Amino acid sequence: MTAPTTTSPTRADRTDVLTLLGLVAHLELVAFTRLAADSAEAPTIDQRLRLMRFSAGAVDRLDRIFARIESLGGRPDAEIARFAHALDDFDARTAPGSWWERLLTAYVGYGVADDFCKAAAAGLDDATRDLVMDVLDGASHAELTVATLSGAAEGDAVLTSRLALWGRRLVGEALGVVQTLVASQPSLARLALDGGEDTGPADGEAVTRLFGRLTAEHTRRMGRLGLTA
Amino acid sequence: MTAPTTTSPTRADRTDVLTLLGLVAHLELVAFTRLAADSAEAPTIDQRLRLMRFSAGAVDRLDRIFARIESLGGRPDAEIARFAHALDDFDARTAPGSWWERLLTAYVGYGVADDFCKAAAAGLDDATRDLVMDVLDGASHAELTVATLSGAAEGDAVLTSRLALWGRRLVGEALGVVQTLVASQPSLARLALDGGEDTGPADGEAVTRLFGRLTAEHTRRMGRLGLTA
């Protein structure tokens, strides 16, 4: 059964939309804190300031998501609370050992998270989808990472292989988070696996397609750093 | 000898002005990081968001100070680097043991720091002084602290006496930082003790006046929390 295309979501969709907005909001909340902590560890004042700006930008993005949640009749604090511990395991297992690893952690972790949210947003009404896409594009601090890491790893075989290894560990943990989210939040499973249509429990093929897509994007991202995924 | 009153500082003043702007910029840089870390520990989402906004606001304030440093022909990174470790001792000695102590640490620490900067700014040209005053007023997260701590401490004699004790420890450490700054940065001594006039080594009376003023302001701030200084 196909839901009608409208700018304001149907009642069944509304829960799904609010859930995804809650996830995006939580990711911005965590991005703020993480990038702020990263900025304090930056080796140069220039990098510190850039990370501070990325971090501060997350507050504006959060406000835009909150405004959309409210305009759909949701409560931002309730939607965000759903994901309070979504990244705890990821954080506990990926404590970075160096500045390079720290930059790579945010790059890979947010890369996978953003791709997942974009995949899930495809089934939303136009206005919400455009907002989510715009917010996620604004969240990227990929350029700083690419400039810093590709320069550092070039010609340093030990660092290159260490970062490639770290990248593989990160993507494994990040995909684990996605798996948990899809398994625990039916709304996210519907959006990310079925394009928002209620087709019952997600089939294995849809899961394989999603993970294939996330892995391919990760490989492309690592390639930008000159690292094999 | 009295320096002529001009909107653009004389050559002798310029170093002093840039030094103070560097200190204010460093305080904003540290405020960003500290308030971001505080926000991650906030017990409610509402407090977390408020602290995130205070933190993000520090980036705007930093940009305004940097712009002024550049318009005076200074280099922001060089001016800020002068104070790279100015707060290390304070931080090492005032690791908060609870959420209340954490809020109080920023309240007292930034209270003293702001008062010192305001005292030093009195001798600046009008435009720079107005900017510094405006930036420092915007930096205050005092309202959140007053609302949270005065409510919490009311009717809880143990918490009240613990926080009063913590406040005394904080102000002692904060005044120690001021003492070190004045002793190590002749520009700051000239501005804070002599109103910007070069009267040679600061006399004891001027130092006593400055510390008396900072202590009186601290006592007034603690009073707003219902705590004795």
Side-chain angles (χ1 to χ4, degrees), chain B residues 182-193:
Chain B
V182 168
S184 63
Q185 302 282 343
S187 288
L188 294 181
R190 269 193 297 275
L191 289 173
L193 301 175

Side-chain angles (χ1 to χ4, degrees), chain A residues 59-69 131 134-135:
Chain A
V59 179
D60 291 329
R61 295 191 292 271
L62 188 63
D63 281 338
R64 294 173 64 198
I65 296 291
F66 276 3
R68 185 69 188 161
I69 290 175
L131 171 65
D134 192 49
V135 159

Side-chain angles (χ1 to χ4, degrees), chain A residues 102-128:
Chain A
R102 188 178 277 268
L103 276 181
L104 193 60
T105 303
Y107 180 76
V108 171
Y110 274 90
V112 173
D114 287 0
D115 287 338
F116 173 70
C117 291
K118 284 178 184 175
L124 301 187
D125 63 284
D126 294 354
T128 309

Side-chain angles (χ1 to χ4, degrees), chain B residues 20-33:
Chain B
L20 179 60
L21 289 173
L23 173 62
V24 175
H26 178 72
L27 290 170
E28 292 299 333
L29 194 77
V30 173
F32 170 81
T33 306

